[in-house]
C-alpha cells in the first residue's frame, strides 16, 4: 500500500522517502523469506520505474551489483553464518532478479544487454543464459536458440577449420 502511494506522489518529500525505500528494498532481495524478497523486487519496479528497475536487475545478474551488501544485511539482521551458502544465495538473488525482469513489459534494453553478455563475455555468459531462461517469453527463447545455433556452427565448422589452418592442412 505504501509503495503504491509513494509511486503516485509528486513532491520533494517523495524523493527522499523513495530513495530510502529503494535502498532498503535492494537489501531485502536477500530476505530469508522468499515472499518478502519477491515483494521487495516488485516494490523496486514500482518505486524505480520499469526501465531503471530493469537496468538494476541486469546489473544484479551480470555484475552482482548490491549482492554482497544484501547478503551482509541478511547475515547481520538474522544472525546467520556466512558460509558456502552465500554462493547459493547469490544464485537465488540472480534468479529473483531474472524472474522479476521477465514481468517487466519494457525490458528490451535489459534483454539486449543480457544477449550481448551471452555472446561476448565468456565468464558471465552462463549467468546471462540462465537469466534469459528464467525470464521466459518468445524473445528470450529466440535469443537462446540463436546463440546455441551460432555456437554449434562455430564448434563444428569454424573451429576445426581454424585448427586445420594452424597446422597447415
Amino acid at each position: 500500500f505504501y509503495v503504491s502511494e509513494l509511486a503516485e506522489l509528486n513532491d520533494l518529500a517523495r524523493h527522499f522517502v523513495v530513495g530510502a525505500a529503494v535502498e532498503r528494498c535492494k537489501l531485502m532481495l536477500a530476505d530469508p523469506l522468499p515472499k518478502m524478497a519477491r515483494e521487495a523486487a516488485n516494490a523496486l519496479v514500482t518505486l524505480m520505474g520499469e526501465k531503471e528497475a530493469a537496468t538494476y536487475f541486469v546489473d544484479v545478474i551480470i555484475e552482482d551489483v548490491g549482492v554482497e551488501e544484501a547478503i551482509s544485511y541478511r547475515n547481520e539482521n538474522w544472525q546467520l553464518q556466512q558460509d558456502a551458502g552465500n554462493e547459493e544465495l547469490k544464485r537465488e538473488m540472480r534468479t529473483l532478479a531474472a524472474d522479476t525482469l521477465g514481468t517487466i513489459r519494457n525490458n528490451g534494453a535489459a534483454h539486449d544487454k543480457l544477449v550481448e553478455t551471452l555472446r561476448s563475455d565468456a565468464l558471465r555468459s552462463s549467468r546471462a543464459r540462465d537469466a534469459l531462461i528464467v525470464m521466459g517469453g518468445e524473445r528470450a527463447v529466440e535469443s537462446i536458440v540463436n546463440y546455441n545455433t551460432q555456437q554449434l556452427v562455430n564448434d563444428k565448422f569454424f573451429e576445426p577449420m581454424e585448427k586445420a589452418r594452424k597446422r597447415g592442412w
Side-chain angles (χ1 to χ4, degrees):
F1 171 78
Y2 289 120
V3 168
S4 297
E5 291 295 314
L6 280 173
E8 294 177 11
L9 293 177
N10 290 321
D11 60 7
L12 185 60
R14 178 190 183 277
H15 172 73
F16 294 109
V17 175
V18 167
V22 165
E23 291 308 313
R24 180 59 60 134
C25 287
K26 287 178 180 179
L27 295 175
M28 289 176 63
L29 292 176
D31 198 281
L33 300 172
K35 185 176 181 180
M36 290 302 295
R38 162 65 52 207
E39 289 298 323
N42 293 337
L44 283 172
V45 174
T46 303
L47 293 171
M48 296 171 80
E50 288 187 345
K51 190 172 184 178
E52 188 179 342
T55 301
Y56 175 73
F57 288 129
V58 167
D59 290 341
V60 167
I61 294 165
I62 296 173
E63 304 290 337
D64 279 341
V65 169
V67 171
E68 292 296 329
E69 294 86 1
I71 290 173
S72 294
Y73 174 78
R74 173 186 168 139
N75 291 340
E76 288 170 12
N77 288 294
W78 284 275
Q79 288 83 32
L80 300 172
Q81 296 178 358
Q82 294 183 357
D83 57 7
N86 285 351
E87 287 303 315
E88 180 62 30
L89 184 54
K90 288 179 183 180
R91 279 191 294 280
E92 288 174 14
M93 286 183 66
R94 287 186 209 116
T95 301
L96 174 63
D99 189 41
T100 306
L101 192 55
T103 66
I104 297 174
R105 289 185 308 264
N106 187 13
N107 68 5
H111 173 270
D112 293 344
K113 187 171 180 181
L114 287 172
V115 171
E116 179 184 322
T117 301
L118 182 66
R119 293 182 178 175
S120 64
D121 189 339
L123 296 175
R124 295 185 181 106
S125 66
S126 66
R127 289 184 186 183
R129 183 182 54 79
D130 292 346
L132 287 166
I133 290 170
V134 171
M135 281 175 60
E138 184 178 334
R139 189 170 180 209
V141 170
E142 186 177 311
S143 297
I144 293 170
V145 168
N146 289 340
Y147 174 74
N148 287 342
T149 303
Q150 178 186 2
Q151 286 301 108
L152 182 67
V153 169
N154 187 45
D155 292 347
K156 299 293 181 186
F157 183 70
F158 292 112
E159 201 172 290
M161 284 180 57
E162 183 62 24
K163 286 180 183 176
R165 187 190 63 75
K166 285 181 181 178
R167 292 182 182 166
W169 294 351

